[in-house]
Amino acid sequence: MASGIQPRVSPAIEAALPKKGNLSDLDLAKMCFCARRSAARILFDMHRHELVHISGYTRVSANGQWRPLWSWGEGEDAQAPGPVPVSERIKKYRDKMSADDKDFGLARRRQKRRVVKRDPLVAAFFGS
């Protein structure tokens, strides 16, 4: 066990996991009244000793990270989902856009491409 973790946390996790399956480290931290990182350390230590296994994954947020769901006992670990390809993310983003948003984006791109030519008379008076 890692240093600094209170000895009450590990027995609490060992008691909570057999009762309920598919719990994330955040759920266990709330049940055991400890920090999420402490619960994660204990779970990874138990996983190394094959007391728990990863039964699935859940999304942390829209940023694309996955959080493992833990279950008690030996078992095959679930495969971690891979990253979403960029083309799918862009397609999903563009499907959400309204027609006005698309027009605004096109106008912005058009404006960035536009090159303003310097007036030759102004250049002659003030220098180039």
Side-chain angles (χ1 to χ4, degrees):
M1 190 181 308
S3 63
I5 297 177
Q6 296 178 351
R8 66 172 175 76
V9 176
S10 184
I13 288 177
E14 289 176 12
L17 259 180
K19 292 177 186 172
K20 290 184 177 181
N22 287 348
L23 292 174
S24 68
D25 51 0
L26 187 63
D27 298 333
L28 284 167
K30 288 178 184 175
M31 293 170 83
C32 300
F33 303 105
C34 67
R36 185 196 65 81
R37 190 66 201 136
S38 298
R41 271 194 216 130
I42 292 172
L43 285 167
F44 281 116
D45 191 38
M46 289 176 161
H47 186 254
R48 190 173 54 236
H49 296 298
E50 297 182 357
L51 297 173
V52 297
H53 68 277
I54 299 172
S55 56
Y57 288 87
T58 184
R59 275 262 209 230
V60 174
S61 63
N63 66 359
Q65 293 181 343
W66 296 92
R67 177 171 286 148
L69 298 174
W70 301 92
S71 291
W72 185 257
E74 294 181 20
E76 185 111 4
D77 287 343
Q79 286 292 105
V84 178
V86 176
S87 60
E88 286 183 29
R89 284 189 290 151
I90 290 174
K91 184 179 182 313
K92 185 177 175 183
Y93 172 73
R94 288 187 179 153
D95 288 343
K96 287 182 185 178
M97 292 174 71
S98 68
D100 291 338
D101 293 336
K102 290 178 184 176
D103 290 340
F104 185 75
L106 288 172
R108 183 186 306 150
R109 266 188 252 129
R110 226 182 6 256
Q111 196 64 20
K112 284 183 179 180
R113 278 195 315 251
R114 183 171 176 242
V115 177
V116 178
K117 293 184 181 178
R118 182 94 190 246
D119 184 22
L121 192 58
V122 172
F125 280 131
F126 298 108
S128 53

